[in-house]
Every structure is written in C-alpha cells, then in structure tokens.
C-alpha cells in the first residue's frame, strides 16, 4: 500500500511539473504574452506577471483535478464497492500533458480543441485502466465521467 502511495505521489509531482511547464509555455507565447504584458503595467515592477499567472493557474488546475478525482471516486463508490486507485486517474493525465507539451512545442500555437481532444482521449485511457481492474464497463465510464464532461465543455466553449 505504501508503494502505491509513493508511486501516486511521484506521478502527482510529475503532473504538477508538466502542468507548470505547459501553462508557463502558453503564457509566454505571442498572443497570451501581449495580453499579460498589458496587465504587467498595472502591477508593481517587482512582480513577474508570467510567474504569478502560472502559479495561480497551476493551483486552480490542481484543485480542479483533485475535485474531478473526488467526484469520480464518489460516483464509483455510490454504485459499487470497488475502490478506485489514484494511479488510474493520474497516469493518463500525465501522458496527456506530455503529449500536449510536445504538440505545443512542435506546432507553436495554442490550439485549444487539439489539447482538449488529447485530454478526452486520456479519459478513455482512464476508463481502460479502471476497466482492467474492475471488469465493469459502466464503472469504468462512471469513474472517468468528470474528465469526459470537462473536456466536452472545453471543446464546446471553443466552438461557440
């Protein structure tokens, strides 16, 4: 059990590092950079707007990620006695972030639909990992439901 907690903690730290790098990369690109530089003039000269924005975004992303996991875990616990593992939730997100970072660095533009689609595919991977453990398709879908909803809402907001 302690080995699983260590593995989960390492994967969560990797998630935080990837998320920080990805958000900072997006903020320092051309479109977002010019918007943040306008805000920089309002702040005092001692505050780096890119670092401040990255820290605030990573904190909210981390809270929202943990909230999604808690909802998925609660939904599974409501319908069965299976115990979802954090590993099934964090590993696909780490892989999705790694793919998004590679795509962002290679393409160089902020393409929200593409990034959300990669996260949507990570929801399938989350369902697959949980399905291997439970052998229940419904439970695996319910466990990843918060990711499905989040990415679909993100894609629909961009298309709007």
């Amino acid at each position: 059990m302690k080995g699983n907690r260590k593995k989960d903690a390492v994967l969560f730290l990797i998630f935080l590092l990837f998320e920080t790098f990805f958000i900072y990369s997006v903020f320092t690109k051309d479109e977002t950079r010019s918007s943040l530089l306008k805000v920089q003039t309002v702040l005092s000269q001692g505050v780096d707007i890119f670092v401040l924005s990255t820290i605030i975004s990573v904190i909210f992303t981390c809270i929202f990620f943990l909230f999604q996991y808690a909802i998925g875990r609660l939904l599974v616990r409501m319908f069965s006695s299976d115990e979802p593992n954090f590993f099934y939730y964090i590993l696909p997100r780490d892989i999705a972030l790694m793919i998004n970072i590679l795509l962002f660095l290679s393409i160089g533009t902020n393409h929200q639909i593409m990034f959300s689609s990669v996260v949507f595919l990570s929801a399938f991977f989350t369902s697959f990992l949980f399905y291997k453990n439970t052998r229940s398709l419904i439970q695996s879908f319910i466990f990843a439901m918060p990711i499905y909803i989040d990415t679909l809402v993100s894609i629909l907001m961009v298309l709007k």
Side-chain angles (χ1 to χ4, degrees), residues 38-57:
K38 292 175 187 174
V39 175
Q40 178 72 41
T41 59
V42 176
L43 294 174
S44 67
Q45 295 300 327
V47 177
D48 184 6
I49 190 65
F50 301 109
V51 173
L52 179 65
S53 300
T54 301
I55 291 171
I56 291 170
S57 297

Side-chain angles (χ1 to χ4, degrees), residues 68-132:
Q68 283 180 332
Y69 172 68
I71 290 172
R73 185 180 172 117
L74 176 69
L75 288 172
V76 168
R77 296 295 305 255
M78 285 173 48
F79 297 109
S80 74
S81 62
D82 289 327
E83 184 74 26
N85 191 342
F86 189 65
F87 174 79
Y88 304 136
Y89 217 74
I90 192 74
L91 181 66
R93 292 299 280 261
D94 282 349
I95 293 170
L97 269 171
M98 195 171 18
I99 292 169
N100 279 341
I101 288 170
L102 293 173
L103 287 172
F104 184 75
L105 293 176
S106 65
I107 294 173
T109 60
N110 189 359
H111 196 330
Q112 184 65 33
I113 294 176
M114 181 178 56
F115 298 146
S116 295
S117 299
V118 171
V119 174
F120 189 74
L121 292 174
S122 80
F124 284 115
F125 188 45
T126 301
S127 295
F128 174 74
L129 287 176
F130 193 63
Y131 176 76
K132 282 182 62 176

